[in-house]
Amino acid sequence: MTYVGQPVPDLKAPGTRATVKDVVAAYVGLTKPRVIELLLLTTVPVMFFAARGVPSLGLVVATVVGGTFSAGSASVFNCVYDRDIDEQMRRTRRRALPRHIVSPGAALVFGAVLGVLSTLVLGFWVNWLSAGLSVAANAFYVLVYTMVLKRRTTQNIVWGGIAGCFPALIGWTAVTGQLSWAPVILFLVVFFWTPPHTWALALRYREDYANVDVPMLPVVKPAREVARQIVLYSWVMVATSIALWPVASTGWFYPACAVVLGAVFLVQAHRLHARTRGTEELSRIQPMHLFHSSNLYLSLLFVAVAIDPLITR
């Protein structure tokens, strides 16, 4: 998926040249901006929670800039490694590398520069613990998930999703300079959220994954079993989200939101499971309903994390 709405040219086509706008959009697209938005949404609210109020604006800016570079770097390396399968999948074949707007070598340099900048920004303007956690997240995403797990096991996104949980830790350490149980709980919320979120999307694009031999759970298991596991992870996710209340001694606002949002999410998960009864037809299962609901759930839950200390302190 490209970052801009207009189709970009394929440089393999005779007589086709990319404009400056195409190239800039291609480099931005390599960083997967929508993924960055989601990661920052789990970073900044945790900073408010850790500060028990409004954190320093300069600290927030430095953390956001460093986090953006970090997530962008990991995404670029992922795009380079996966360019062979991205070219064959409907969901990804319009990315920069399959369209030959950017060469693999140039993308690697771009990813490395973003990684170095991220480490320097976080290290010098936030703290070195946050910088180290960011490097660890990137290394896990690229070396463990992308290069080892993704093409070998149905548990790829379960364990590979650990990389996407680190922003909760980074947001906390950016403010406090140390780890504690509260960000670990939020880390686990994102960990248990990732399978329902990703498997719902993978149900929609299971033929794409099957065609490139990526063993996502919906490729190797019937929709009914996928939905069953989505329900199980959803229950654990909601229970974990509520556990933040006693662990971190939150006010009343966060647990109230966690219960309401969790109940809505569980209803959506159970509805998905019910729709898989006796069918594999995507038009009847409608997995994208849960996918979009999962984005809204995580966004609102972390907004509640940020608001709670502001109205209940």
Side-chain angles (χ1 to χ4, degrees), residues 69-70 72-74 77 110-120 134-135 138:
F69 288 161
S70 177
S73 172
F77 287 130
F110 180 52
V113 169
L114 288 177
V116 171
L117 287 175
S118 165
T119 304
L120 294 177
S134 176
V135 171
N138 279 7

Side-chain angles (χ1 to χ4, degrees), residues 14-98:
T16 302
R17 294 183 61 187
T19 65
V20 172
K21 181 180 178 181
D22 293 330
V23 174
V24 171
Y27 274 103
V28 172
L30 283 172
T31 65
K32 301 181 183 178
R34 291 182 180 179
V35 174
I36 292 175
E37 290 171 7
L38 191 62
L39 293 176
L40 293 180
L41 189 60
T42 58
T43 304
V44 177
V46 175
M47 296 182 71
F48 278 74
F49 190 63
R52 296 291 175 176
V54 181
S56 160
L57 177 60
L59 182 63
V60 172
V61 170
T63 305
V64 166
V65 171
T68 297
F69 288 161
S70 177
S73 172
S75 293
V76 172
F77 287 130
N78 172 265
C79 286
V80 172
Y81 190 83
D82 279 348
R83 65 188 184 278
D84 58 330
I85 59 176
D86 282 350
E87 195 163 0
Q88 302 174 57
M89 296 176 64
R90 287 176 299 164
R91 187 174 66 87
T92 58
R93 63 190 177 192
R94 301 193 72 80
R95 288 177 176 171
L97 290 170

Side-chain angles (χ1 to χ4, degrees), residues 155-234:
Q155 296 296 299
N156 45 20
I157 57 92
V158 175
W159 300 108
I162 288 175
C165 306
F166 272 79
L169 303 182
I170 293 170
W172 184 273
T173 58
V175 173
T176 67
Q178 61 186 4
L179 288 170
S180 69
W181 283 110
V184 172
I185 294 295
L186 293 170
F187 177 103
L188 291 173
V189 169
V190 181
F191 176 79
F192 293 120
W193 168 87
T194 301
H197 169 76
T198 310
W199 285 336
L201 182 67
L203 271 170
R204 169 65 178 83
Y205 292 101
R206 60 186 174 188
E207 290 184 5
D208 272 3
Y209 288 110
N211 290 337
V212 294
D213 296 322
V214 174
M216 296 293 287
L217 188 66
V219 173
V220 300
K221 295 290 184 180
R224 184 75 171 169
E225 174 59 21
V226 175
R228 186 186 72 84
Q229 294 204 33
I230 284 176
V231 168
L232 291 175
Y233 273 95
S234 298

